[in-house]
Amino acid sequence: LGGTDAGNYSVSQPSLTANITAKALSISGAVANSKTYDRATTATVSFTGASLVGVITPDAVNIDSSGYTANFDTKDVGNTKPVTVGGVVLSGADAGNYSVSQPSGLTANITAKDLTISGAVASNKTYDGNTTATVDFTGASLAGVIAPDMVTINSSSFSATVDTKNVGTAKPVTVTGVVLGGTDASNYTVSQPSGLTANITAATVTASIIGDPTKAYDGNTNATLTSANFSLTGVVTGESFTVTQTSGSYNSKDVATVNTVTASLAPGDFSPGLGTSASNYTFPTSASGAGHISKANATVNVTAYTVTYDA
């Protein structure tokens, strides 16, 4: 008591009550983990480097994240997506004197789930001088789509190439440009079909004789030919062969009945031009075409002789 008469009095102390409320702590260092799309909003958070902010020393208070939950804002693919955390509590001898705010401001990425294509088939082809390939997606399917997501193969703009243009079997085929379609395609990526192979078979060359090879009758069927007497089909544009066979035969030795020339051919009779490989072709074994034999010019030799004058 105070005042001039305080000495004549005593005072009883106030008997009061009040609350001590828990001190609010915050968590720093918690990290939300990125994940691959799984059609769920569930997230995971790492508390390995997390710590409590606001604990009064030497109080013993720890983070108990054993029952936490975490969720992305949506299930869909995206970067720096907000993650909401719940269920983090405190443990330790002094935990009852504190409360804790759930980690906030966390973000993470949901990356697209990669799909693979099975059942795509590379088509064989005949040698055509280029590496372009075709792939049949009729029986192809996507592996890894999460039901009931709607995702399809869009092969409308794909391209495919063989390792080289040359003839061969089980030649590797590389595919690019296959994309995804469907309402949920944005949550996925797709790996291009791999391990495809195809055969390139030799192009078939056919030959015919042109120019109507003609000779004067000489009693035999032998025909003399030049490279200009051979016409080839089936040779790829930009490539060429010269036929070196110079012998043939008429179908008859006689002028009246001959109308065709035929030449026997072997692969060695075809000389490839610049940039042309004979191994990419199969060759004919013969060539035929119109031919004729003209009449021979006969020479009449007149022998002079002498007679005795007889009027």
Side-chain angles (χ1 to χ4, degrees):
L1 297 176
T4 56
D5 297 300
N8 295 319
Y9 297 90
S10 65
V11 66
S12 296
Q13 299 300 310
S15 180
L16 307 179
T17 63
N19 300 331
I20 298 179
T21 56
K23 185 176 187 213
L25 304 179
S26 61
I27 298 174
S28 68
V31 178
N33 300 315
S34 296
K35 72 170 184 177
T36 300
Y37 173 78
D38 60 4
R39 209 175 188 277
T41 60
T42 306
T44 59
V45 176
S46 173
F47 290 90
T48 303
S51 61
L52 289 166
V53 178
V55 177
I56 302 170
T57 305
D59 282 356
V61 188
N62 303 308
I63 299 170
D64 181 356
S65 60
S66 59
Y68 86 95
T69 60
N71 289 280
F72 287 95
D73 57 339
T74 70
K75 68 179 177 63
D76 298 315
V77 166
N79 294 326
T80 61
K81 293 171 67 69
V83 175
T84 302
V85 181
V88 178
V89 295
L90 298 174
S91 63
D94 298 298
N97 292 321
Y98 295 89
S99 64
V100 66
S101 298
Q102 301 301 304
S104 62
L106 302 187
T107 63
N109 303 331
I110 297 180
T111 56
K113 186 175 193 291
D114 192 55
L115 305 179
T116 57
I117 297 174
S118 63
V121 178
S123 304
N124 298 328
K125 72 170 184 176
T126 301
Y127 175 76
D128 58 6
N130 63 63
T131 59
T132 303
T134 58
V135 177
D136 183 4
F137 288 89
T138 303
S141 61
L142 288 167
V145 177
I146 303 170
D149 280 356
M150 297 295 296
V151 188
T152 59
I153 299 170
N154 182 354
S155 60
S156 60
S157 59
F158 87 95
S159 62
T161 55
V162 187
D163 59 338
T164 71
K165 68 174 184 174
N166 298 317
V167 167
T169 58
K171 294 173 68 67
V173 174
T174 301
V175 180
T176 59
V178 178
V179 295
L180 298 175
T183 54
D184 298 296
S186 61
N187 289 319
Y188 295 89
T189 58
V190 65
S191 295
Q192 301 299 305
S194 61
L196 303 186
T197 62
N199 302 332
I200 298 180
T201 54
T204 299
V205 175
T206 59
S208 60
I209 291 178
I210 61 173
D212 192 22
T214 302
K215 73 170 183 177
Y217 175 77
D218 60 3
N220 62 62
T221 61
N222 297 337
T224 300
L225 304 171
T226 68
S227 60
N229 290 126
F230 292 91
S231 175
L232 303 180
T233 59
V235 180
V236 170
T237 301
E239 299 187 2
S240 63
F241 288 94
T242 299
V243 179
T244 58
Q245 174 63 278
T246 59
S247 298
S249 60
Y250 293 95
N251 62 309
S252 169
K253 70 178 180 61
D254 298 318
V255 171
T257 54
V258 68
N259 55 29
T260 304
V261 176
T262 301
S264 295
L265 299 172
D269 293 324
F270 295 84
S271 176
L274 183 66
T276 304
S277 175
S279 61
N280 289 322
Y281 294 89
T282 57
F283 298 102
T285 57
S286 65
S288 296
H292 296 87
I293 296 176
S294 60
K295 293 182 178 180
N297 289 320
T299 300
V300 178
N301 293 317
V302 178
T303 302
Y305 67 101
T306 300
V307 297
T308 302
Y309 174 75
D310 60 3

